[in-house]
Amino acid sequence: MEGNNKNIFKENSKINFNRTAEVYDESSDGKFVAPMYEEIVSRVISANPKKILDVGCGTGNVLIKLSANYKFGLYGVDISENMIKIAKKNLGDKAELKVGDSEYIPWEDNSFDVIVCNASFHHYPSPEKVLLEMKRVLKNSGLLIIGDPTAPVICRQFINLYCKTSNNGDYKIYSEKEIKALLVKCGFEPFDFKKINYKSFAISAKVRK
C-alpha cells in the first residue's frame, strides 16, 4: 500500500510540472528557486568537474548557467516530459537530457563527477532510494550538491502535514539535522551546509570511502 501512496506523489509531481512547465520560470515556484542558483553553480564550478548530472533539471536553468562559460559535459533528467521539452529548447545540443525517474537514473554506474539536485529533493517520496541511485552513478571521488527549501521548525511541521494531503507533489521538507542524517545513512559524508536565505539551504556531500 505504501508503495502505491509513494507512486501517487510521483504522479502528482509529474502532472503538476507537465501542467506548469511553460510558465514555470515566471511562477512563484520558479522565482522561489532562483536565489539558489548562484550558490549551487558556484559549488559546481569550484569542483571543476568534467561531467555533471542535474537530477530534477526542470527547464534546465542550472545547466543553462553552467553552459554559459564552461566546457562541462552536461546531463539532465526530469520526470516531466514537458519540462524536458522546454529544457531541450533552452539548451539545444549543449546537454544530454532524458525523461526519467530519479529512483532509476538512466545512466551507468560511476558516470558523473558531480550531481546537482536543486529544488527537487523535497518531491521524492523515497529519498533513500534516490540517494542510493545518485551514489551509484557518481564516481567514487564524486560530489553531490543539494539545494532545497526549508523552514523554521513550527512552520516545517505544518508544511509537512500539508504535503501529505496536497496533490502538488511536494513530499517533505528537511531540517539541517534530517538531511545530514539521511545522507550519512545512504553512504555520504555531508559538509558545507549553508542557509541561502530563511527558506532554502545548500549542502554538499562526498561518497564515503
Side-chain angles (χ1 to χ4, degrees):
M1 194 60 203
E2 193 182 344
N4 285 345
N5 288 345
K6 292 191 170 185
N7 286 336
I8 289 164
F9 276 97
K10 288 200 282 191
E11 200 50 41
N12 284 339
S13 283
K14 194 175 181 175
I15 291 164
N16 187 41
F17 286 120
N18 276 338
R19 194 180 61 237
T20 59
E22 293 284 348
V23 293
Y24 178 79
D25 291 336
E26 298 310 312
S27 71
S28 56
D29 277 357
K31 290 188 164 65
F32 174 83
V33 301
M36 299 158 77
Y37 295 144
E38 193 180 329
E39 178 66 30
I40 300 301
V41 167
S42 72
R43 288 182 186 222
V44 173
I45 290 164
S46 58
N48 196 24
K50 289 188 174 69
K51 288 176 75 175
I52 301 153
L53 173 64
D54 187 348
V55 175
C57 64
T59 57
N61 283 321
V62 169
L63 294 173
I64 290 163
K65 291 182 185 305
L66 290 169
S67 72
N69 307 312
Y70 301 90
K71 294 284 175 266
F72 299 133
L74 299 175
Y75 301 79
V77 62
D78 200 282
I79 201 166
S80 160
E81 299 92 339
N82 289 355
M83 286 289 200
I84 288 291
K85 212 177 282 179
I86 291 168
K88 282 181 173 173
K89 211 183 290 180
N90 288 339
L91 281 150
D93 60 0
K94 292 176 182 169
E96 183 183 309
L97 302 166
K98 296 182 181 183
V99 177
D101 185 333
S102 54
E103 293 176 25
Y104 307 96
I105 296 171
W107 278 278
E108 291 177 4
D109 298 4
N110 307 313
S111 292
F112 299 101
D113 303 294
V114 167
I115 290 179
V116 168
C117 183
N118 191 49
S120 182
F121 198 78
H122 65 288
H123 290 293
Y124 302 150
S126 303
E128 291 173 20
K129 222 170 175 181
V130 173
L131 286 172
L132 292 170
E133 260 303 83
M134 289 172 167
K135 193 167 79 165
R136 179 185 68 77
V137 298
L138 259 184
K139 293 180 180 171
N140 286 338
S141 57
L143 176 68
L144 170 61
I145 302 164
I146 295 174
D148 222 34
T150 189
V153 61
I154 300 295
C155 301
R156 200 171 62 247
Q157 287 166 350
F158 279 117
I159 292 165
N160 284 334
L161 279 173
Y162 171 73
C163 285
K164 297 283 179 276
T165 56
S166 89
N167 63 356
N168 62 0
D170 291 338
Y171 187 72
K172 179 177 179 170
I173 63 169
Y174 297 89
S175 67
E176 176 179 358
K177 192 176 173 183
E178 287 170 332
I179 195 74
K180 284 180 173 174
L182 203 50
L183 284 161
V184 167
K185 188 176 182 184
C186 295
F188 287 93
E189 279 177 27
F191 64 97
D192 204 6
F193 179 94
K194 178 182 176 182
K195 289 284 281 285
I196 296 167
N197 49 34
Y198 73 94
K199 54 187 179 179
S200 60
F201 69 84
I203 191 167
S204 298
K206 289 267 189 197
V207 178
R208 198 163 59 237
K209 296 289 186 283

